[in-house]
Amino acid sequence: MDLSTSYLGLALRSPLVASSSPLTGDLDGLRRLEDAGAAAVVLPSLFEEQLTAESFEVDHMLDTGAGSFGEALSYFPEHGDYHLGADQYLDLIRAAKEALDLPVIGSLNGTTVGGWLEHAGLIQQAGADALELNLYVVAADPDVCSRDLEEGHRELVSAVRRSVDIPVAVKLGPFYTAFAHTARELVACGADGLVLFNRFYQPELDLETLEVRPHLVLSRSEEMRLPLRWIAILRGRIEASLAATTGVHTAADVLKLLLAGADVTMMASALLEEGPDHLRRVEREVVEWLETREYSSVGQLRGSVSQESTRDPAAFERANYMSVLRSYSSPRHL
Ligand SMILES: Cc1cc2nc3c(=O)[nH]c(=O)nc-3n(C[C@H](O)[C@H](O)[C@H](O)COP(=O)(O)O)c2cc1C
């Protein structure tokens, strides 16, 4: 079965990619992912504020949940172990490039344009095959409107695009009023790919201590329907690679996202729960499904149920709303 896939112009052995997570944060995890068949790996994000953590007392902010750094870093329950400083991060890229045969994608989350540009350049120099810009933003300032915020994103993507030669992907959250437009604009600014969607981690309130604390819940398969819809809508409408992240757990999830038009599917939660070998099982089941239906490559099915190709394009839009509501049948015991 020909699983070969092109993502950001990189030739991959399959569409199964390991997303940023603690598993991709050290060489041992990366080796295990390669052995299990990962087609590429995305390293954890290098956070700009992490580089100046001491002066900003990030740990304190994380613990109290205050400040914008706390928002961004609330991903990480064990941030002390998980986060690497810039030097360690660049060493990890170099070591991964030396030890592994698969493409290594660096990831960056900055706070200032200067910071994004400097570290994008360093990640390229260290040998990363591509760069993922992790635009994790909690738009909490009432003085900042969506137009300004999105303009900032566009400027940032253009500036990074101009400053490096390696392919650049942009990882976004789903909370935009006109997402299809936002996506097209980011591609016009030079994004080679879009990674849909980042998960937003909501803070938890502890009723005993009355403190706000980070609380990470791993995803479930149902959550892949959000990227499924948007990938189906964008497929064929923008000139960029499309990666699906959030809720990719099973072979069925992978197949559906490929049918919708994803170039690659990325996993984090499933690999953290099941271990890297889960990738091997998923790949085997994807191949079995394709063989049973007499496909000879993933290329043949990719995008065949995108909005552009499906017999029922309305299923991805508002027209679907009423039929979804009507499709609910109450449990008998009520
Ligand atoms: C513990 C943990 C750490 C993560 N760290 C990062 C990170 O550093 N950068 C990033 O862009 N995404 C990070 N993510 C998000 C994942 O890469 C992924 O996009 C998200 O979890 C949705 O995919 P999933 O449903 O397969 O978990 C992290 C996720 C988890 C669970």
Short mmCIF file of all heavy atoms in Angstrom, two decimals, residues 19-22 42-47 75-77 82-83 107 132 134 171 195 197-199 201 216-220 223 245-249 266-270 272, ligand 1:
data_model
loop_
_atom_site.label_atom_id
_atom_site.label_comp_id
_atom_site.label_asym_id
_atom_site.label_seq_id
_atom_site.Cartn_x
_atom_site.Cartn_y
_atom_site.Cartn_z
N SER A 19 2.37 14.81 17.04
CA SER A 19 2.21 16.24 17.35
C SER A 19 3.07 16.61 18.56
O SER A 19 3.52 15.73 19.31
CB SER A 19 0.73 16.42 17.69
OG SER A 19 0.36 17.75 17.62
N SER A 20 3.26 17.92 18.77
CA SER A 20 4.00 18.41 19.95
C SER A 20 3.43 17.81 21.22
O SER A 20 2.23 17.94 21.47
CB SER A 20 3.77 19.91 20.12
OG SER A 20 4.48 20.67 19.25
N SER A 21 4.27 17.21 22.01
CA SER A 21 3.83 16.74 23.35
C SER A 21 5.09 16.34 24.10
O SER A 21 6.17 16.28 23.50
CB SER A 21 2.88 15.54 23.22
OG SER A 21 3.60 14.33 23.15
N PRO A 22 4.98 16.00 25.37
CA PRO A 22 6.18 15.58 26.09
C PRO A 22 6.88 14.39 25.43
O PRO A 22 8.09 14.21 25.59
CB PRO A 22 5.65 15.21 27.48
CG PRO A 22 4.43 16.06 27.64
CD PRO A 22 3.82 16.13 26.27
N VAL A 42 6.75 16.60 15.49
CA VAL A 42 6.76 18.03 15.82
C VAL A 42 7.24 18.15 17.26
O VAL A 42 6.64 17.56 18.16
CB VAL A 42 5.36 18.67 15.70
CG1 VAL A 42 5.46 20.19 15.87
CG2 VAL A 42 4.70 18.31 14.37
N LEU A 43 8.32 18.87 17.47
CA LEU A 43 8.85 19.02 18.84
C LEU A 43 7.92 19.92 19.65
O LEU A 43 7.13 20.69 19.08
CB LEU A 43 10.24 19.63 18.79
CG LEU A 43 11.28 18.88 17.95
CD1 LEU A 43 12.67 19.49 18.18
CD2 LEU A 43 11.31 17.40 18.26
N PRO A 44 7.99 19.83 20.98
CA PRO A 44 7.22 20.77 21.81
C PRO A 44 7.60 22.21 21.44
O PRO A 44 8.69 22.45 20.93
CB PRO A 44 7.68 20.47 23.24
CG PRO A 44 8.27 19.11 23.18
CD PRO A 44 8.81 18.93 21.79
N SER A 45 6.71 23.13 21.73
CA SER A 45 7.02 24.52 21.38
C SER A 45 8.12 25.09 22.26
O SER A 45 8.16 24.84 23.46
CB SER A 45 5.78 25.40 21.56
OG SER A 45 4.74 24.94 20.77
N LEU A 46 8.95 25.87 21.63
CA LEU A 46 9.88 26.70 22.37
C LEU A 46 9.11 27.98 22.71
O LEU A 46 8.65 28.69 21.80
CB LEU A 46 11.09 27.02 21.50
CG LEU A 46 12.15 27.92 22.11
CD1 LEU A 46 12.78 27.29 23.34
CD2 LEU A 46 13.24 28.22 21.08
N PHE A 47 8.92 28.22 23.99
CA PHE A 47 8.14 29.40 24.41
C PHE A 47 9.09 30.55 24.69
O PHE A 47 10.03 30.41 25.48
CB PHE A 47 7.33 29.09 25.67
CG PHE A 47 6.06 28.33 25.38
CD1 PHE A 47 6.09 26.97 25.13
CD2 PHE A 47 4.85 28.98 25.32
CE1 PHE A 47 4.94 26.27 24.84
CE2 PHE A 47 3.69 28.29 25.03
CZ PHE A 47 3.74 26.94 24.78
N TYR A 75 -0.68 24.91 29.51
CA TYR A 75 -0.58 23.59 28.91
C TYR A 75 0.04 22.56 29.84
O TYR A 75 -0.21 21.39 29.75
CB TYR A 75 0.46 23.64 27.79
CG TYR A 75 0.05 23.99 26.44
CD1 TYR A 75 0.82 24.89 25.72
CD2 TYR A 75 -1.05 23.42 25.83
CE1 TYR A 75 0.51 25.20 24.43
CE2 TYR A 75 -1.36 23.74 24.54
CZ TYR A 75 -0.59 24.63 23.85
OH TYR A 75 -0.88 24.95 22.57
N PHE A 76 1.00 23.04 30.60
CA PHE A 76 2.00 22.11 31.09
C PHE A 76 1.95 21.91 32.58
O PHE A 76 2.47 22.72 33.34
CB PHE A 76 3.39 22.64 30.71
CG PHE A 76 3.44 22.99 29.26
CD1 PHE A 76 3.51 24.31 28.87
CD2 PHE A 76 3.34 22.01 28.30
CE1 PHE A 76 3.53 24.63 27.53
CE2 PHE A 76 3.35 22.32 26.96
CZ PHE A 76 3.45 23.64 26.57
N PRO A 77 1.35 20.81 33.02
CA PRO A 77 1.28 20.56 34.44
C PRO A 77 2.67 20.42 35.05
O PRO A 77 2.93 20.84 36.15
CB PRO A 77 0.49 19.27 34.55
CG PRO A 77 0.36 18.71 33.19
CD PRO A 77 0.73 19.77 32.21
N TYR A 82 9.18 19.63 31.50
CA TYR A 82 8.83 19.54 30.08
C TYR A 82 9.53 20.59 29.26
O TYR A 82 9.99 20.34 28.16
CB TYR A 82 7.31 19.67 29.97
CG TYR A 82 6.76 19.64 28.58
CD1 TYR A 82 7.20 18.71 27.65
CD2 TYR A 82 5.78 20.53 28.20
CE1 TYR A 82 6.67 18.66 26.38
CE2 TYR A 82 5.24 20.50 26.93
CZ TYR A 82 5.68 19.57 26.03
OH TYR A 82 5.15 19.55 24.78
N HIS A 83 9.63 21.79 29.81
CA HIS A 83 10.15 22.89 29.03
C HIS A 83 11.66 22.91 28.93
O HIS A 83 12.35 22.79 29.90
CB HIS A 83 9.68 24.20 29.64
CG HIS A 83 8.50 24.71 28.92
ND1 HIS A 83 7.32 24.97 29.52
CD2 HIS A 83 8.34 24.97 27.61
CE1 HIS A 83 6.48 25.38 28.62
NE2 HIS A 83 7.06 25.38 27.46
N SER A 107 8.89 23.87 16.77
CA SER A 107 7.66 24.62 17.05
C SER A 107 7.99 25.81 17.94
O SER A 107 8.82 25.70 18.84
CB SER A 107 6.65 23.70 17.73
OG SER A 107 5.58 24.46 18.25
N GLU A 132 6.80 25.08 12.90
CA GLU A 132 5.36 25.28 13.17
C GLU A 132 5.24 26.48 14.11
O GLU A 132 5.87 26.50 15.16
CB GLU A 132 4.82 24.01 13.84
CG GLU A 132 3.32 23.91 13.88
CD GLU A 132 2.86 22.53 14.40
OE1 GLU A 132 2.89 21.56 13.63
OE2 GLU A 132 2.48 22.44 15.58
N ASN A 134 3.09 28.31 16.65
CA ASN A 134 1.97 27.96 17.52
C ASN A 134 1.32 29.26 18.00
O ASN A 134 1.77 29.88 18.95
CB ASN A 134 2.53 27.11 18.67
CG ASN A 134 1.50 26.79 19.74
OD1 ASN A 134 0.31 27.05 19.57
ND2 ASN A 134 1.97 26.23 20.84
N LYS A 171 -0.14 26.92 13.37
CA LYS A 171 -1.10 26.14 14.17
C LYS A 171 -2.05 27.11 14.85
O LYS A 171 -1.62 28.01 15.58
CB LYS A 171 -0.32 25.32 15.21
CG LYS A 171 -1.19 24.40 16.03
CD LYS A 171 -0.30 23.52 16.90
CE LYS A 171 -1.06 22.46 17.65
NZ LYS A 171 -0.19 21.58 18.44
N VAL A 195 -2.28 24.08 10.61
CA VAL A 195 -2.46 22.94 11.53
C VAL A 195 -3.71 23.24 12.33
O VAL A 195 -3.75 24.18 13.13
CB VAL A 195 -1.21 22.80 12.44
CG1 VAL A 195 -1.35 21.58 13.33
CG2 VAL A 195 0.06 22.71 11.61
N PHE A 197 -6.81 21.84 14.82
CA PHE A 197 -6.77 23.07 15.57
C PHE A 197 -6.01 22.85 16.87
O PHE A 197 -6.08 21.76 17.43
CB PHE A 197 -8.19 23.51 15.97
CG PHE A 197 -9.00 24.05 14.82
CD1 PHE A 197 -10.04 23.31 14.29
CD2 PHE A 197 -8.70 25.28 14.27
CE1 PHE A 197 -10.79 23.81 13.25
CE2 PHE A 197 -9.48 25.78 13.22
CZ PHE A 197 -10.52 25.05 12.70
N ASN A 198 -5.41 23.91 17.37
CA ASN A 198 -4.86 23.85 18.71
C ASN A 198 -5.99 23.65 19.71
O ASN A 198 -7.08 24.16 19.52
CB ASN A 198 -4.16 25.17 19.01
CG ASN A 198 -2.92 24.97 19.83
OD1 ASN A 198 -2.79 23.97 20.53
ND2 ASN A 198 -2.01 25.92 19.76
N ARG A 199 -5.73 22.94 20.79
CA ARG A 199 -6.77 22.79 21.83
C ARG A 199 -6.54 23.85 22.89
O ARG A 199 -5.41 24.11 23.28
CB ARG A 199 -6.64 21.43 22.52
CG ARG A 199 -7.39 20.34 21.80
CD ARG A 199 -7.21 19.04 22.54
NE ARG A 199 -8.31 18.74 23.43
CZ ARG A 199 -8.17 18.23 24.63
NH1 ARG A 199 -6.98 18.02 25.15
NH2 ARG A 199 -9.23 17.93 25.35
N TYR A 201 -6.88 24.92 26.67
CA TYR A 201 -7.02 24.26 27.97
C TYR A 201 -7.63 25.23 28.94
O TYR A 201 -7.11 26.32 29.15
CB TYR A 201 -5.65 23.77 28.43
CG TYR A 201 -5.08 22.80 27.43
CD1 TYR A 201 -4.23 23.22 26.42
CD2 TYR A 201 -5.48 21.47 27.46
CE1 TYR A 201 -3.76 22.33 25.47
CE2 TYR A 201 -5.01 20.57 26.52
CZ TYR A 201 -4.16 21.01 25.52
OH TYR A 201 -3.71 20.13 24.58
N LEU A 216 -5.14 19.67 32.83
CA LEU A 216 -5.10 19.21 31.45
C LEU A 216 -5.90 17.91 31.29
O LEU A 216 -5.62 16.93 31.95
CB LEU A 216 -3.64 18.98 31.05
CG LEU A 216 -3.37 18.87 29.56
CD1 LEU A 216 -1.97 19.35 29.24
CD2 LEU A 216 -3.56 17.47 29.06
N VAL A 217 -6.89 17.95 30.42
CA VAL A 217 -7.67 16.75 30.11
C VAL A 217 -7.32 16.36 28.67
O VAL A 217 -7.39 17.20 27.77
CB VAL A 217 -9.19 17.04 30.21
CG1 VAL A 217 -10.00 15.79 29.89
CG2 VAL A 217 -9.53 17.58 31.59
N LEU A 218 -6.95 15.10 28.48
CA LEU A 218 -6.60 14.68 27.12
C LEU A 218 -7.84 14.62 26.24
O LEU A 218 -8.97 14.54 26.75
CB LEU A 218 -5.89 13.32 27.17
CG LEU A 218 -4.54 13.33 27.91
CD1 LEU A 218 -3.94 11.93 27.96
CD2 LEU A 218 -3.55 14.30 27.27
N SER A 219 -7.65 14.63 24.94
CA SER A 219 -8.80 14.72 24.02
C SER A 219 -9.49 13.37 23.85
O SER A 219 -8.97 12.32 24.26
CB SER A 219 -8.32 15.20 22.64
OG SER A 219 -7.58 14.17 22.00
N ARG A 220 -10.64 13.40 23.21
CA ARG A 220 -11.39 12.19 22.83
C ARG A 220 -11.64 12.27 21.32
O ARG A 220 -11.66 13.35 20.74
CB ARG A 220 -12.75 12.15 23.55
CG ARG A 220 -12.61 11.91 25.04
CD ARG A 220 -12.34 10.41 25.32
NE ARG A 220 -11.73 10.18 26.62
CZ ARG A 220 -10.42 9.98 26.84
NH1 ARG A 220 -9.57 10.00 25.84
NH2 ARG A 220 -9.94 9.75 28.03
N GLU A 223 -13.75 14.90 19.32
CA GLU A 223 -13.27 16.26 19.07
C GLU A 223 -12.69 16.44 17.66
O GLU A 223 -12.47 17.56 17.21
CB GLU A 223 -12.22 16.64 20.12
CG GLU A 223 -12.79 16.73 21.52
CD GLU A 223 -11.72 17.05 22.55
OE1 GLU A 223 -10.89 17.95 22.32
OE2 GLU A 223 -11.70 16.38 23.61
N THR A 245 -5.15 18.23 13.75
CA THR A 245 -4.79 17.87 15.12
C THR A 245 -6.00 18.16 16.00
O THR A 245 -6.79 19.06 15.71
CB THR A 245 -3.54 18.63 15.64
OG1 THR A 245 -3.35 18.32 17.04
CG2 THR A 245 -3.68 20.14 15.52
N THR A 246 -6.14 17.40 17.04
CA THR A 246 -7.24 17.35 18.03
C THR A 246 -8.18 16.20 17.74
O THR A 246 -8.86 16.16 16.70
CB THR A 246 -8.03 18.67 18.13
OG1 THR A 246 -7.21 19.65 18.80
CG2 THR A 246 -9.30 18.51 18.98
N GLY A 247 -8.15 15.24 18.64
CA GLY A 247 -9.09 14.12 18.59
C GLY A 247 -8.71 13.00 17.64
O GLY A 247 -9.53 12.13 17.37
N VAL A 248 -7.48 12.99 17.14
CA VAL A 248 -7.08 11.88 16.26
C VAL A 248 -6.59 10.73 17.14
O VAL A 248 -5.52 10.81 17.74
CB VAL A 248 -5.94 12.31 15.29
CG1 VAL A 248 -5.65 11.18 14.31
CG2 VAL A 248 -6.29 13.59 14.56
N HIS A 249 -7.41 9.71 17.25
CA HIS A 249 -7.06 8.58 18.13
C HIS A 249 -7.00 7.25 17.38
O HIS A 249 -6.15 6.42 17.68
CB HIS A 249 -8.09 8.45 19.27
CG HIS A 249 -7.93 9.50 20.33
ND1 HIS A 249 -7.49 9.24 21.61
CD2 HIS A 249 -8.11 10.84 20.29
CE1 HIS A 249 -7.43 10.36 22.31
NE2 HIS A 249 -7.81 11.35 21.52
N MET A 266 -2.28 14.39 12.98
CA MET A 266 -1.29 14.45 14.07
C MET A 266 -1.89 13.93 15.36
O MET A 266 -3.06 14.21 15.66
CB MET A 266 -0.85 15.90 14.28
CG MET A 266 -0.14 16.48 13.09
SD MET A 266 0.45 18.15 13.46
CE MET A 266 1.53 18.43 12.07
N MET A 267 -1.11 13.22 16.13
CA MET A 267 -1.60 12.67 17.41
C MET A 267 -0.73 13.13 18.57
O MET A 267 0.49 13.10 18.48
CB MET A 267 -1.50 11.14 17.40
CG MET A 267 -2.51 10.47 16.56
SD MET A 267 -2.38 8.69 16.87
CE MET A 267 -3.04 8.10 15.35
N ALA A 268 -1.39 13.48 19.67
CA ALA A 268 -0.68 13.72 20.93
C ALA A 268 -1.36 12.89 22.03
O ALA A 268 -0.76 11.95 22.56
CB ALA A 268 -0.68 15.20 21.29
N SER A 269 -2.63 13.19 22.34
CA SER A 269 -3.31 12.51 23.45
C SER A 269 -3.26 10.99 23.31
O SER A 269 -2.95 10.28 24.27
CB SER A 269 -4.77 12.95 23.53
OG SER A 269 -4.86 14.30 23.90
N ALA A 270 -3.57 10.47 22.12
CA ALA A 270 -3.62 9.01 21.94
C ALA A 270 -2.25 8.40 22.23
O ALA A 270 -2.16 7.32 22.85
CB ALA A 270 -4.06 8.68 20.53
N LEU A 272 0.09 9.68 24.17
CA LEU A 272 0.39 9.80 25.61
C LEU A 272 -0.36 8.72 26.39
O LEU A 272 0.16 8.15 27.34
CB LEU A 272 0.00 11.19 26.13
CG LEU A 272 0.88 12.34 25.63
CD1 LEU A 272 0.27 13.70 25.99
CD2 LEU A 272 2.30 12.25 26.19
C1 LIG B 1 0.85 17.44 27.52
C2 LIG B 1 0.71 18.17 26.22
C3 LIG B 1 1.68 19.08 25.81
C4 LIG B 1 1.53 19.79 24.62
N1 LIG B 1 2.51 20.67 24.24
C5 LIG B 1 2.35 21.39 23.08
C6 LIG B 1 3.34 22.32 22.66
O1 LIG B 1 4.38 22.50 23.28
N2 LIG B 1 3.11 22.99 21.51
C7 LIG B 1 1.99 22.82 20.76
O2 LIG B 1 1.84 23.46 19.71
N3 LIG B 1 1.05 21.95 21.14
C8 LIG B 1 1.19 21.24 22.28
N4 LIG B 1 0.24 20.35 22.67
C9 LIG B 1 -0.96 20.19 21.81
C10 LIG B 1 -0.85 18.95 20.92
O3 LIG B 1 0.27 19.03 20.06
C11 LIG B 1 -2.12 18.76 20.10
O4 LIG B 1 -2.22 19.76 19.11
C12 LIG B 1 -3.37 18.77 20.95
O5 LIG B 1 -3.17 18.03 22.13
C13 LIG B 1 -4.53 18.16 20.19
O6 LIG B 1 -4.22 16.87 19.74
P1 LIG B 1 -4.68 15.54 20.50
O7 LIG B 1 -6.14 15.49 20.48
O8 LIG B 1 -4.04 14.43 19.69
O9 LIG B 1 -4.13 15.60 21.88
C14 LIG B 1 0.38 19.60 23.83
C15 LIG B 1 -0.59 18.67 24.23
C16 LIG B 1 -0.43 17.95 25.40
C17 LIG B 1 -1.51 16.97 25.79
#
